Amino acid sequence: LEANSTARSTPGTISCPICLDSYGEIVDSGRLVVSTKCGHLFCSQCLRDSLSESHTCPTCRKRLTHKQYHPIYI
Amino acid sequence: LEANSTARSTPGTISCPICLDSYGEIVDSGRLVVSTKCGHLFCSQCLRDSLSESHTCPTCRKRLTHKQYHPIYI
Ligand SMILES: [Zn+2]
Ligand SMILES: [Zn+2]
Ligand SMILES: [Zn+2]
Ligand SMILES: [Zn+2]
């Protein structure tokens, strides 16, 4: 999964590296932008789906549980 | 401190609500963008300075220690 490279479309703007949705698409659809404890950002739906399969960060593969991420407000 | 309102310059882009520097200015100067556990973003320098005065989030005033924030990578 090349999540990290695809996320870097425009530095300083936010998109989900899994579904590639922009910040606007994420919030307009009622999802949240979430950050893992390791500092990687996703839309809430993609991270939830990923954690149901594997307890690791999709970007850096560090161990990650449901308690180790939080929404960010921007 | 009206940190929250000034931060909302452009939805989906990142700036520090304290110094108002953009994402580009933050990283070009060697600072990090950090997120608190409560989900509020700052440049690393401003949050460090603020925590040396008060153990609360500058945006929402929730209790916040040096261990309750982390860099984000975007
Ligand atoms: Zn997504
Ligand atoms: Zn990670
Ligand atoms: Zn700052
Ligand atoms: Zn806060």
Side-chain angles (χ1 to χ4, degrees), chain A residues 10-43:
Chain A
T10 309
T13 64
I14 287 177
S15 60
C16 174
I18 297 175
C19 65
L20 306 183
D21 283 354
S22 68
Y23 172 84
E25 292 169 315
I26 292 169
V27 298
D28 287 351
S29 65
R31 289 167 288 165
L32 297 167
V33 175
V34 298
S35 173
T36 62
K37 192 176 180 180
C38 44
H40 295 113
L41 305 190
F42 306 93
C43 80

Side-chain angles (χ1 to χ4, degrees), chain B residues 15-21 26 31-32 42-47:
Chain B
S15 61
C16 175
I18 297 176
C19 65
L20 306 183
D21 283 354
I26 292 169
R31 289 168 288 165
L32 297 168
F42 306 93
C43 79
S44 50
Q45 183 68 57
C46 286
L47 186 58

Side-chain angles (χ1 to χ4, degrees), chain B residues 47 49-58 61 64:
Chain B
L47 186 58
D49 292 347
S50 179
L51 285 177
S52 73
E53 297 175 11
S54 168
H55 284 174
T56 57
C57 172
R61 301 297 187 192
L64 185 68

Side-chain angles (χ1 to χ4, degrees), chain A residues 2 13 27 50 54 63-65:
Chain A
E2 298 292 335
T13 64
V27 298
S50 178
S54 169
R63 179 168 166 74
L64 185 69
T65 72

Side-chain angles (χ1 to χ4, degrees), chain B:
Chain B
L1 181 67
E2 297 292 335
N4 209 8
S5 52
T6 53
R8 300 186 175 283
S9 47
T10 309
T13 64
I14 286 176
S15 61
C16 175
I18 297 176
C19 65
L20 306 183
D21 283 354
S22 68
Y23 172 84
E25 292 169 317
I26 292 169
V27 298
D28 286 352
S29 65
R31 289 168 288 165
L32 297 168
V33 175
V34 298
S35 174
T36 62
K37 192 176 180 181
C38 43
H40 296 115
L41 305 190
F42 306 93
C43 79
S44 50
Q45 183 68 57
C46 286
L47 186 58
R48 191 184 309 130
D49 292 347
S50 179
L51 285 177
S52 73
E53 297 175 11
S54 168
H55 284 174
T56 57
C57 172
T59 297
C60 73
R61 301 297 187 192
K62 282 201 181 121
R63 178 169 167 74
L64 185 68
T65 72
H66 285 277
K67 294 190 172 179
Q68 292 172 323
Y69 71 92
H70 58 80
I72 62 171
Y73 303 102
I74 50 174

